[in-house]
Amino acid sequence: MNAITRRGFLGLSAGLSAAAVAGCGSGPTGAATTPKAGGRLRAAFAGGGAKEVLDPHLANLFVEAARSKALFDKLADLGPDVAAQPRLAERWEPNADLTRWRITLRQAVFHDGRPVRAADVLSSYARILDPARGFRAKSSLSVIDLANSRAVDDRTVEFALTRPFVEFPNVLAAFGAYIVPEGAEDFSRPVGSGPFAFVSFEPGKSVLLKRNPDYWEGAAHLDELQFVIANEESARVNALLGGQVDYAHDLTPTTARAHASGDRMTVVRSPNSAVQAFAMKLDRAPFDNRDLREAMFLLADRPQLVESTLAGAGQVGNDLYGKGYQYYADDIPQRVRDLDKAKHLIRKAGAEGMTIRLNTSTAAAGMVEAATIFADQAKGSGLTIEVVTGNKDTYWADILKDGVMSSFRSGAMPIETHIAQRLLSTSGTNVTKWARPGFDALYEKAVSTADATARAAVYGDMQRMLHAEGGYLMWGFADWIVGTATTVGGVSTAPANTLDWARFDKVWLG
Amino acid sequence: MTVVRVEGLRAEARGRPLVDGVDLAVEAGRVLAVVGESGSGKTTTGMAVLGEAAPGVTVTGTVTVTGRVGFVPQHPAAALNPVRRLRKVFRELGPPEAVAAALRRARVDPDLLDRYPHQLSGGQQQRVVLAQVLVGDPAVIVADEPTTGQDAITRAEVVAELAEVVNQGVALILLTHDLDVVRALADDVLVLRAGRVVEAGPADDVLTVPRDPYTRALIDAQPRLTTPDAADSAPPLLRVAGLTARHRAAHVLHGVDLAVGAGECLAVVGRSGSGKTTLGRCLAGLHETYDGDVLLDGQPLPRSLRKRDRVAVARVQYVFQDARASFDPHRTVVEQVARTGVRLRGMTAAAARESALERLAEVGVDAAKAERAPSGLSGGELQRCALVRALLAQPDVLVCDEITSGLDTLTQAGLLDLLAGLTCAVVLISHDMGVVARLADRVAVLHAGRLVEHGPAHAVLAAPTHPVTTGLLGHTTIEEASK
Amino acid sequence: MSLSRYALRRLLFGAVQVLAVVTAVFLMVHALPGDAAVALAGDDPDPDRVEVIRRALGLDRPVLERFGEWLWGLARLDFGASVVSGRPVADTLVAALGPTVVLAVLTLVLLVPLAVAAGVAGALREGGPLDRALTSVTVGLHSIPEFALAIVLVAVFGVGLGWLPPTAVGVDVLAEPAVLVLPLVVLLARPLCSISRLVRAGMLDALASDYVRHARRLGVPPGRVRFAHALPNALAPAVQQVARTTDWLLGGVIVVEAVFVIPGLGTVLVDAVAARDLPVVQGLAVVFAVTTIAVNLLADLVAFRLAPRAAA
Amino acid sequence: MRRVRPAAVLMVAVPLLLALVGPWLVPAEQARTAPFLPDGLLGTDFVGRDTWYQVLDGGRSVVLVALAATALAYAVGVPWGVTAATARLRIVDEVLMRPLDLLLAVPSLLLLIVLATVAGPGVAVLVGIVALIAFPDVARIARAAALEIGGRPALEAMRMQGESWWRTSVVYMGRSMARPLAADAGVRLTSSLYLVASASFLGVGVPPDAADWAVMVDRNRTGLFLQPWAVVVPAVLIIALSVGLNLLFDRALRKEPR
């Protein structure tokens, strides 16, 4: 019962990379190819027990994200290439210096029949930005100068920003930045504008939703959608095989392999998904030494890590975030293992005979295994890697402060967001302690460059810096795997955290 | 009418004979006592009458019984189901009229039926068992040691009940080693030794003019209740002043005052549960929770053994009721006995061993036996070893707690001789007035934790003032009463 | 001591026990690294954000103050509110109580007759093939961890053969009792073995006792001797063991609820510990301790009734 | 006296032998391939290691932790119980034994989960926790045995001989307690084994990729339909060991005179 050990936090720790592989767009899969209306789909997710909430701004877990998506809308959301695309916002236009953005809202209504207005947008954002509360989207939205933003009319909002920011649509698509009716505080019977409306909720057990016939993008195929909680992967698989659910989220590659060829379930893979990495801290010995960091990069046998840890269900990484995402620098040559050079660099760094502690934990699946394998790979290099397993519940907070090297995993987000949250000297979750004034300046330049090509070039420079001497050893990208009953159609292969992942209004029961 | 006839009874276990060639016959309304030491074959014979045999025992011979056989087991407490009220059990045994009749015959108060067995006294339990047996209207009752372990008053009750049942025309086979009971009840006696009949005949003949030497020895060994001569009382050596002892919250002794002179024998008597043993344990330092004083030569003895120095420990010694339990089963007897010399007399191990062997030989335990583990010795032998173990300390006061109970009369007699020869003061705890009469200079009678009578033995035994004392002495009068 | 005084004393001690357990659990949970805010922040532990959450949850107040407040609430039967979800702890517990109680009660209801039947059957046929088979099975099953048994049962009967639902995902256990079959088998296995063995041993002792022999000699019919005379004596120790079983049950329930996805108290406990949700963990500790103490008390009273001598 | 069945001996001997000798048979360098392939004797496990080597390596932790925990529970519980039983002041007895009643009101698995989370992973931690759970029972049994022995006339007779505390309370009592405690040790060992296995399965106290039979059962479960040996073999070994131990001790106990 690994309920305690394998509760994946969503959002950032387990997102999915977009389609890097050919044909890995958001094309629907499934045995039943013709959409059919009606029925109740039961979807099994890992949950958070009694702490689960329906407040979309508090969403943290996959199941909460999926439910928020069914009940609410954001102004924008991430497409298959993890670039923002409009949702409730019909379109957006910045002013010339990128500091004021005019958003035009779509004609949409909440489940109680009230229209979605500019005031709802402003009050939702005000709620998220409330300094007394710790909503997840707060740091993303902090670029908005709310006092100077205004509702032009009921369907037009004008946002004032604190600085020029060309990636503002990323903010609108930020995790948890949902639009709720003005003044909404009690989410025990949530009202949103999403494709499904609330019916009932039993914390830690199930949520039942029904089709919203007036959804602005067209009503869903399903009559009803039920989210049920099964923390263990085996339980989700068993429930799927036993016909107790129709959709089982987050399966292991092994399960996929075991059942891919059978006729008891359909396996849906979103290839190239969560990034798998080791994070080295640059502000302290021994990884303040660039040679030693490079030695670590060269020690990693990435194909073996992918093969063993991800059971082959993934792609080799090149120490850069966001493979296949917009702005990803795929022109940088792939790094491969070079033990001799690594040994040489270790000697050069004076690290021979040194023992390095690699912090890891079961906070995310596969991290400990990857750490052990990496420690094996380091044997014979002149230094020893000692794997230290820490407390899973506080792991992410612990590695922010302590240790020199740690296991790391992250879900999908735009590359810009990744940089802003983790790689600037001001970032709140800067695990590698990468703090370079030059890099910060490049970021400022990128986000204030309106020209897309010029901007891409700046992002390319930044990624070259990171590849050469950064702290993240990003060795692979995992597939995201979902199992469905053979009667289910329309399940997308888009990465988790993006729009089409767990998008049940496009799914049907055959 | 002969109800039971046994001819040529022979019982074997693994080829060893337990009973060999026993013949007996009992008529209705008559009592046959089967007498003998433990292991003489009494119980095997009684079982044969019931038609039962212990596992692994093969029985041959003929047993003819006219009518049903009832069995009154040795310990009535064990024969009553602890978790069932009596009424329900009786309901299973027979129709209400039969039960009512049986209860009347056994003189059981019907009000007792709503109780659990543990809520009854020993005598009541015995009567209930008898009533249960009587429901089946047996022609003969086999009673196995019905008085063993009972105090004198209960014993008298049991005897009276059995006599009553016999008067109603039931035959009784009494398996016992208690000659007082035999005298009180039996018409005929069968003396068994090692499975063979050594003597049989009318009780009066056998008990008054025994022909067999073994029977004679058995009878002679029986302590007689005689009134001892008046003796001068010695100056007090050990004094008990205002002793009030507690077990947890319950008071078991209330303000007891006693004195023992040097070389005197003080008998402490009373029914079971009267506080006799607690008193002895207070003297020896084995029971610490008491108020009042135990003074030796006028000096208070520390309550706890831990606080007594070696001299004080040596001066007051204690012999336990259960001799076997008072030895460590893992070490040889001599090894254990000799420790007294080492610890309390400061002897070397070798010297202590020498003197232990010497003293053991004096009481009839030879070196070969002394070198065995306790399991290799009989109960009587072990009790003598225990006595030696205490005496090696050269005590001034020896507390003996019921040390003769559970021993057959011959063994008991040997032990009493030993005690009679002691020069130290003896505190003798007993409920057997015969034993008391033989040894005691002074007698103290306890009842419910209070001292109810205390004085020179001749005075107390000749003219008891308290009903308990009278009751305890009463068993000798049963003889006359029932004949 | 009278039955009522005995019960009263046990109750008073039980209250002290509950208080001590709660304090101990408080100290233990407090000693866990991190607090609810850190746990809640999860993989986005921006220190500023953690600090804001901490303030929002009231975790910046002194810990003793919060404990005192909670205790004071408890005295008024108010379990407080979850620091994480803000929902009343009592609601959470009541919601989760149902499935667990159903499991526990059904287990006990099935356990006692089955264990007694198996124990008696073994004792009456001592040494026979039935007894030997029962002994081997019960001695063996006794030590198999629940998880191993659960995995085997699910793989064979749930997934492989498809006879029974493999999990209780999204199912109301009351509406669809079939989902309870496998969990119950898992929960029953261990206590069934230990109790039937106790019954068997007690029965053998009773059958060899003086009072049973005496009853036989008195002509009590064999059936009554076995069931009215011997059996009650064999039950008293078994009842005490049933009480000890509640510990196993609560432990087993954690495993079983996880494997079969039953949203009961075990699941709530595991989640609450992971979330450092002190009021919920405390509330659970109270429920568990009260249950354990109450069951033990009940068992002692039953044993008192069954074996009046031992308790007297 | 009944003969010990060879089946029970075999059930204990095979896992025990594997657990104790196994680790020496594992090569230092192992190839790592893909998960759940049919390579090697028993195929590969969930991270592509050879299952047979994992089996050889994985018994020691289960067996040694159970043994160490039982030993520790005795090392603490027996003096504890004897102290309580022989204490002259009743308050000492109460102070020592009452807290153990409290421990009984906390379900052992709850204790295990919370303590393991507090203390963090590690073999020593697991030993400590399992010992802590086993120790109240040991202390109670030791106390009961010591009380019974302390009330025996044999011990009082020794005290009447002026024997030292050492000879009465340690030598004599120790020897007399050996038998009831030895009988109890069997029960304790199987329940420690049960707890250790359950804990490992729950992911408490061991790394998730540890070579440990219980961990193997848990982690390789996903591959049950691809490569069943990685689950079946360690599961069977655990079950055989605990069932066998139980059968052996049950038999040994039955030989005790009533």
Side-chain angles (χ1 to χ4, degrees):
Chain A
M1 106 157 189
N2 263 310
I4 354 176
T5 61
R6 294 203 206 116
R7 183 76 36 87
F9 274 98
L10 161 62
L12 312 178
S13 73
L16 307 179
S17 74
V21 185
C24 170
S26 51
T29 65
T33 44
T34 326
K36 210 173 122 186
R40 175 195 285 191
L41 182 112
R42 296 155 300 171
F45 282 73
K51 76 175 177 194
E52 283 175 41
V53 286
L54 291 176
D55 183 340
H57 298 158
L58 279 176
N60 222 10
L61 309 168
F62 280 113
V63 66
E64 289 168 335
R67 287 192 306 228
S68 300
K69 174 178 291 184
L71 285 164
F72 299 93
D73 278 310
K74 291 189 272 196
L75 292 182
D77 214 335
L78 300 173
D81 61 349
V82 200
Q85 63 182 55
R87 294 293 294 161
L88 270 185
E90 211 163 34
R91 60 180 183 275
W92 46 67
E93 295 151 80
N95 66 355
D97 66 357
L98 304 169
T99 55
R100 290 194 85 80
W101 289 69
R102 179 174 285 248
I103 314 283
T104 308
L105 296 182
R106 216 175 273 284
Q107 193 129 31
V109 290
F110 288 113
H111 301 143
D112 58 5
R114 286 181 290 161
V116 179
R117 299 160 303 134
D120 297 314
V121 172
L122 285 172
S123 90
S124 296
Y125 280 18
R127 183 170 186 258
I128 293 169
L129 285 166
D130 183 345
R133 310 169 79 154
F135 292 125
R136 189 167 192 136
K138 190 167 112 185
S139 62
S140 299
L141 264 60
S142 58
V143 69
I144 299 174
D145 175 6
L146 206 60
N148 290 317
S149 305
R150 64 189 178 100
V152 177
D153 58 44
D154 260 5
R155 287 184 48 205
T156 313
V157 191
E158 192 176 278
F159 285 110
L161 305 189
T162 55
R163 59 192 167 96
F165 193 51
V166 72
E167 306 283 18
F168 186 59
N170 286 350
V171 169
L172 305 180
F175 189 82
Y178 287 96
I179 305 306
V180 302
E182 188 176 5
E185 267 305 332
D186 175 15
F187 290 91
S188 59
R189 300 192 62 80
V191 170
S193 60
F196 291 93
F198 179 82
V199 178
S200 65
F201 175 41
E202 291 172 85
K205 205 168 161 187
S206 98
V207 169
L208 183 62
L209 308 177
K210 64 170 191 283
R211 168 168 43 197
N212 170 13
D214 306 321
Y215 190 50
W216 58 267
E217 207 183 9
H221 301 299
L222 301 169
D223 287 338
E224 286 180 316
L225 172 62
Q226 184 182 19
F227 290 93
V228 295
I229 300 302
N231 288 331
E232 262 198 288
E233 193 255 358
S234 64
R236 293 193 294 275
V237 174
N238 290 339
L240 182 62
L241 292 173
Q244 293 169 306
V245 299
D246 312 296
Y247 179 102
H249 183 251
D250 188 9
L251 306 185
T252 63
T254 305
T255 305
R257 212 176 101 203
H259 296 285
S261 55
D263 53 0
R264 299 182 70 173
M265 68 159 84
T266 306
V267 173
V268 182
R269 289 167 188 262
S270 306
N272 235 7
S273 291
V275 68
Q276 309 281 335
F278 300 113
M280 298 173 273
K281 286 195 169 40
L282 273 65
D283 64 339
R284 61 196 74 172
F287 292 120
D288 51 357
N289 184 314
R290 182 187 158 166
D291 290 330
L292 193 60
R293 294 202 297 276
E294 193 179 347
M296 302 311 274
F297 287 145
L298 292 170
L299 270 180
D301 181 343
R302 293 148 215 264
Q304 187 187 56
L305 281 164
V306 170
E307 186 61 38
S308 296
T309 314
L310 306 179
Q315 300 232 344
V316 167
N318 193 26
D319 302 325
L320 288 175
Y321 182 81
K323 191 167 193 170
Y325 300 177
Q326 192 184 22
Y327 305 129
Y328 181 74
D330 48 11
D331 55 333
I332 301 176
Q334 172 67 44
R335 221 175 228 133
V336 291
R337 179 171 160 94
D338 185 341
L339 185 60
D340 290 335
K341 194 169 175 204
K343 275 174 162 165
H344 168 75
L345 287 168
I346 288 168
R347 261 200 309 280
K348 191 175 157 204
E352 226 169 351
M354 182 185 275
T355 297
I356 292 168
R357 289 161 72 90
L358 169 53
N359 292 95
T360 187
S361 94
T362 52
M367 289 206 307
V368 179
E369 293 85 339
T372 323
I373 293 170
F374 183 60
D376 279 353
Q377 292 173 353
K379 278 178 191 159
S381 70
L383 53 72
T384 308
I385 290 184
E386 184 196 344
V387 176
V388 182
T389 308
N391 186 304
K392 67 185 180 344
D393 300 320
T394 57
Y395 179 73
W396 301 111
D398 293 341
I399 59 163
L400 209 49
K401 311 185 294 284
D402 307 328
V404 295
M405 189 179 196
S406 53
S407 293
F408 188 83
R409 187 171 188 252
S410 168
M413 62 180 76
I415 288 175
E416 178 275 318
T417 311
H418 165 70
I419 291 170
Q421 292 192 353
R422 297 171 181 152
L423 292 167
L424 301 181
S425 44
T426 51
S427 297
T429 51
N430 190 341
V431 179
T432 56
K433 308 295 178 194
W434 168 268
R436 302 281 165 101
F439 187 86
D440 290 359
L442 280 176
Y443 173 77
E444 288 306 324
K445 186 175 165 197
V447 298
S448 53
T449 302
D451 178 65
T453 319
R455 194 159 67 232
V458 182
Y459 281 128
D461 291 343
M462 292 164 80
Q463 290 181 66
R464 261 179 286 280
M465 271 180 86
L466 290 169
H467 184 261
E469 51 177 315
Y472 282 115
L473 195 176
M474 295 194 171
W475 54 264
F477 293 88
D479 290 357
W480 199 254
I481 301 169
V482 164
T484 68
T486 48
T487 53
V488 174
V491 178
S492 156
T493 58
N497 288 8
T498 63
L499 173 63
D500 289 331
W501 162 81
R503 198 174 168 198
F504 291 104
D505 52 320
K506 297 294 182 204
V507 171
W508 65 85
L509 279 166
Chain B
M1 186 187 75
T2 303
V3 227
V4 180
R5 182 177 299 282
V6 174
E7 284 168 326
L9 183 71
R10 191 181 151 80
E12 274 186 10
R14 287 195 224 105
R16 197 171 54 84
L18 300 173
V19 171
D20 196 0
V22 169
D23 300 308
L24 62 86
V26 193
E27 292 183 10
R30 303 274 289 176
V31 179
L32 169 72
V34 180
V35 177
E37 295 172 72
S38 334
S40 60
K42 297 194 299 286
T43 306
T44 310
T45 307
M47 294 305 239
V49 173
L50 277 175
E52 292 181 21
V57 176
T58 45
V59 181
T60 52
T62 53
V63 177
T64 322
V65 182
T66 318
R68 301 179 61 173
V69 188
F71 183 76
V72 176
Q74 183 167 3
H75 302 292
L80 294 171
N81 196 326
V83 306
R84 306 197 68 207
R85 289 184 206 270
L86 298 170
R87 188 179 298 283
K88 286 193 177 165
V89 178
F90 271 102
R91 210 172 280 156
E92 291 165 3
L93 297 179
E97 318 81 69
V99 170
L103 291 175
R104 259 196 318 278
R105 287 172 72 184
R107 290 186 289 150
V108 175
D109 181 352
D111 290 346
L112 295 182
L113 294 191
D114 288 321
R115 299 197 188 170
Y116 287 102
H118 73 273
Q119 293 165 323
L120 304 179
S121 71
Q124 287 168 330
Q125 288 173 340
Q126 184 72 268
R127 283 204 295 278
V128 166
V129 169
L130 191 61
Q132 290 179 336
V133 170
L134 289 173
V135 175
D137 199 15
V140 57
I141 291 177
V142 179
D144 187 9
E145 300 279 12
T147 56
T148 301
Q150 311 278 21
D151 65 52
I153 293 173
T154 312
R155 204 154 60 138
E157 285 175 20
V158 172
V159 168
E161 276 159 37
L162 290 174
E164 173 74 22
V165 171
V166 170
N167 282 341
Q168 294 160 5
V170 179
L172 177 67
I173 298 178
L174 191 63
L175 313 174
T176 187
H177 64 233
D178 186 338
L179 292 182
D180 288 330
V181 176
V182 175
R183 268 195 199 90
L185 283 173
D187 300 300
D188 298 290
V189 176
L190 187 77
V191 183
L192 282 181
R193 189 182 188 195
R196 290 177 173 279
V197 178
V198 296
E199 188 157 0
D204 289 342
D205 296 357
V206 174
L207 292 178
T208 47
V209 263
R211 281 164 303 172
D212 187 86
Y214 176 72
T215 318
R216 197 174 309 131
L218 272 183
I219 293 165
D220 289 346
Q222 171 87 6
R224 292 294 161 78
L225 183 54
T226 50
T227 307
D229 301 330
D232 299 332
S233 65
L237 168 72
L238 180 80
R239 232 157 50 73
V240 172
L243 187 73
T244 296
R246 299 175 304 275
H247 269 297
R248 301 257 158 166
H251 283 246
V252 286
L253 287 175
H254 303 269
V256 172
D257 296 294
L258 279 176
V260 192
E264 254 184 4
C265 175
L266 169 74
V268 178
V269 299
R271 302 190 63 178
S272 315
S274 59
K276 304 188 297 286
T277 297
T278 306
L279 175 63
R281 291 172 60 82
C282 288
L283 301 182
L286 291 169
H287 186 99
E288 305 168 22
T289 48
Y290 64 82
D291 301 321
D293 281 314
V294 175
L295 304 150
L296 188 64
D297 281 338
Q299 296 299 311
L301 275 173
R303 271 156 220 239
S304 157
L305 263 184
R306 291 187 190 87
K307 300 219 178 79
R308 295 189 185 181
D309 58 19
R310 288 187 182 191
V311 176
V313 171
R315 287 187 72 184
V316 182
Q317 280 287 306
Y318 190 91
V319 185
F320 296 83
Q321 175 169 12
D322 186 346
R324 194 168 296 281
S326 77
F327 281 93
D328 177 357
H330 303 290
R331 290 182 293 155
T332 66
V333 170
V334 64
E335 195 185 325
Q336 298 184 56
V337 170
R339 290 295 296 174
T340 309
V342 176
R343 295 293 302 179
L344 296 179
R345 305 225 59 83
M347 301 160 96
T348 64
R353 193 183 144 82
E354 271 310 303
S355 80
L357 281 173
E358 196 178 304
R359 296 296 297 272
L360 285 171
E362 282 170 29
V363 301
V365 178
D366 58 32
K369 275 206 169 142
E371 293 288 359
R372 293 185 196 166
S375 56
L377 276 72
S378 75
E381 285 164 340
L382 278 179
Q383 197 59 280
R384 275 175 274 164
C385 297
L387 203 56
V388 169
R389 176 172 61 183
L391 290 173
L392 280 175
Q394 301 183 352
D396 293 327
V397 179
L398 183 68
V399 182
C400 298
D401 184 9
E402 304 267 18
I403 63 169
T404 60
S405 69
L407 300 178
D408 58 64
T409 35
L410 284 172
T411 315
Q412 183 182 337
L415 207 57
L416 293 181
D417 289 340
L418 258 175
L419 286 178
L422 293 180
T423 51
C424 61
V426 174
V427 176
L428 183 74
I429 295 165
S430 181
H431 61 233
D432 187 332
M433 292 311 258
V435 171
V436 171
R438 163 134 192 235
L439 293 176
D441 299 307
R442 301 160 66 77
V443 174
V445 183
L446 284 176
H447 182 60
R450 293 179 197 280
L451 188 65
V452 295
E453 200 152 354
H454 182 203
H458 70 95
V460 174
L461 295 186
T465 55
H466 194 271
V468 171
T469 322
T470 329
L472 287 170
L473 288 165
H475 70 279
T476 42
T477 58
I478 294 170
E479 221 173 325
E480 292 88 49
S482 58
K483 282 275 157 133
Chain C
M1 199 183 306
S2 74
L3 187 58
S4 55
R5 235 191 96 191
Y6 175 69
L8 186 71
R9 231 180 59 170
R10 286 293 313 269
L11 275 179
L12 281 178
F13 179 64
V16 176
Q17 241 177 328
V18 170
L19 198 67
V21 167
V22 162
T23 312
V25 167
F26 172 81
L27 292 176
M28 280 199 296
V29 176
H30 193 66
L32 290 175
D35 59 17
V38 171
L40 201 62
D43 63 340
D44 181 23
D46 186 333
D48 296 341
R49 179 167 175 247
V50 170
E51 204 36 60
V52 170
I53 296 176
R54 193 167 281 150
R55 245 196 332 273
L57 299 179
L59 295 176
D60 51 343
R61 289 185 299 141
V63 69
L64 273 179
E65 182 187 319
R66 285 184 288 133
F67 184 58
E69 215 167 78
W70 185 85
L71 270 187
W72 170 233
L74 188 67
R76 292 168 295 149
L77 290 179
D78 171 10
F79 283 73
S82 155
V83 294
V84 177
S85 70
R87 275 191 293 272
V89 172
D91 288 4
T92 306
L93 295 188
V94 167
L97 201 61
T100 303
V101 167
V102 168
L103 273 182
V105 168
L106 276 179
T107 306
L108 286 175
V109 164
L110 292 172
L111 172 64
V112 174
L114 283 177
V116 170
V120 169
L124 293 182
R125 301 264 178 283
E126 195 199 357
L130 177 67
D131 181 39
R132 290 232 296 277
L134 280 173
T135 301
S136 299
V137 170
T138 49
V139 169
L141 267 189
H142 172 66
S143 48
I144 296 183
E146 281 97 351
F147 71 83
L149 190 61
I151 290 172
V152 171
L153 291 180
V154 169
V156 174
F157 296 102
V159 176
L161 297 171
W163 289 352
L164 290 162
T167 71
V169 172
V171 173
D172 185 353
V173 291
L174 296 176
E176 220 175 300
V179 302
L180 289 174
V181 174
L182 292 180
L184 278 177
V185 171
V186 173
L187 280 179
L188 273 172
R190 270 185 93 204
L192 184 61
C193 295
S194 74
I195 291 171
S196 69
R197 290 193 56 68
L198 269 180
V199 171
R200 178 182 175 276
M203 196 69 184
L204 285 178
D205 274 349
L207 287 174
S209 70
D210 281 351
Y211 51 82
V212 162
R213 205 175 304 128
H214 181 65
R216 283 211 184 102
R217 284 181 183 138
L218 291 174
V220 177
R224 287 210 67 86
V225 168
R226 287 171 187 169
F227 295 106
H229 289 252
L231 185 56
N233 283 283
L235 287 184
V239 167
Q240 308 266 17
Q241 180 62 26
V242 171
R244 282 292 276 138
T245 303
T246 47
D247 174 41
W248 293 356
L249 267 186
L250 292 173
V253 157
I254 296 178
V255 173
V256 163
E257 287 186 353
V259 174
F260 293 99
V261 197
I262 300 169
L265 292 179
T267 311
V268 170
L269 171 75
V270 172
D271 287 335
V273 170
R276 307 292 188 271
D277 198 343
L278 256 172
V280 175
V281 180
Q282 296 277 38
L284 278 167
V286 172
V287 171
F288 282 162
V290 167
T291 311
T292 310
I293 290 158
V295 170
N296 274 299
L297 177 67
L298 196 68
D300 285 353
L301 297 184
V302 172
F304 189 98
R305 172 69 190 79
L306 280 177
R309 185 178 48 178
Chain D
M1 256 195 237
R2 299 199 198 180
R3 203 161 46 87
V4 172
R5 256 188 287 171
V9 175
L10 207 67
M11 284 169 90
V12 174
V14 170
L16 216 53
L17 210 66
L18 277 180
L20 299 180
V21 183
W24 280 300
L25 305 177
V26 179
E29 287 295 318
Q30 289 179 41
R32 204 186 271 272
T33 57
F36 301 119
L37 295 181
D39 306 4
L41 192 56
L42 297 176
T44 59
D45 74 350
F46 72 106
V47 279
R49 295 172 299 192
D50 187 300
T51 305
W52 170 238
Y53 292 141
Q54 292 293 305
V55 167
L56 286 178
D57 231 356
R60 189 176 273 184
S61 50
V62 176
V63 171
L64 285 190
V65 169
L67 281 174
T70 310
L72 183 61
Y74 273 85
V76 180
V78 171
W80 190 292
V82 171
T83 309
T86 54
R88 258 169 293 163
L89 294 173
R90 190 149 169 233
I91 182 82
V92 176
D93 185 14
E94 296 275 325
V95 163
L96 284 174
M97 298 310 290
R98 284 300 175 188
L100 303 190
D101 290 344
L102 296 181
L103 270 180
L104 288 177
V106 188
S108 28
L109 223 49
L110 164 66
L111 204 62
L112 194 126
I113 290 171
V114 175
L115 285 181
T117 323
V118 173
V123 171
V125 169
L126 191 57
V127 169
I129 294 172
V130 173
L132 179 73
I133 292 171
F135 130 85
D137 280 327
V138 175
R140 281 162 162 248
I141 285 164
R143 177 175 174 275
L147 269 184
E148 192 270 318
I149 294 161
R152 279 188 196 167
L155 193 108
E156 296 195 323
M158 288 177 74
R159 292 177 57 203
M160 289 307 307
Q161 287 178 296
E163 289 286 14
S164 62
W165 172 86
W166 177 257
R167 276 187 83 109
T168 52
S169 292
V170 179
V171 178
Y172 173 74
M173 219 175 228
R175 192 165 38 200
S176 307
M177 285 175 70
R179 213 180 159 84
L181 289 185
D184 172 68
V187 181
R188 219 50 61 200
L189 188 61
T190 32
S191 59
S192 293
L193 193 67
Y194 163 87
L195 266 180
V196 171
S198 295
S200 304
F201 176 79
L202 291 170
V204 169
V206 286
D209 60 346
D212 177 295
W213 291 341
V215 174
M216 290 175 72
V217 173
D218 176 33
R219 301 311 307 277
N220 292 326
R221 220 154 21 122
T222 50
L224 191 60
F225 295 98
L226 285 174
Q227 207 284 89
W229 298 122
V231 180
V232 171
V233 172
V236 164
L237 286 170
I238 291 177
I239 291 174
L241 182 58
S242 65
V243 169
L245 274 177
N246 229 332
L247 287 172
L248 280 188
F249 275 104
D250 188 63
R251 237 141 244 282
L253 277 181
R254 249 188 277 166
K255 282 183 203 156
E256 298 243 337
R258 272 223 179 113

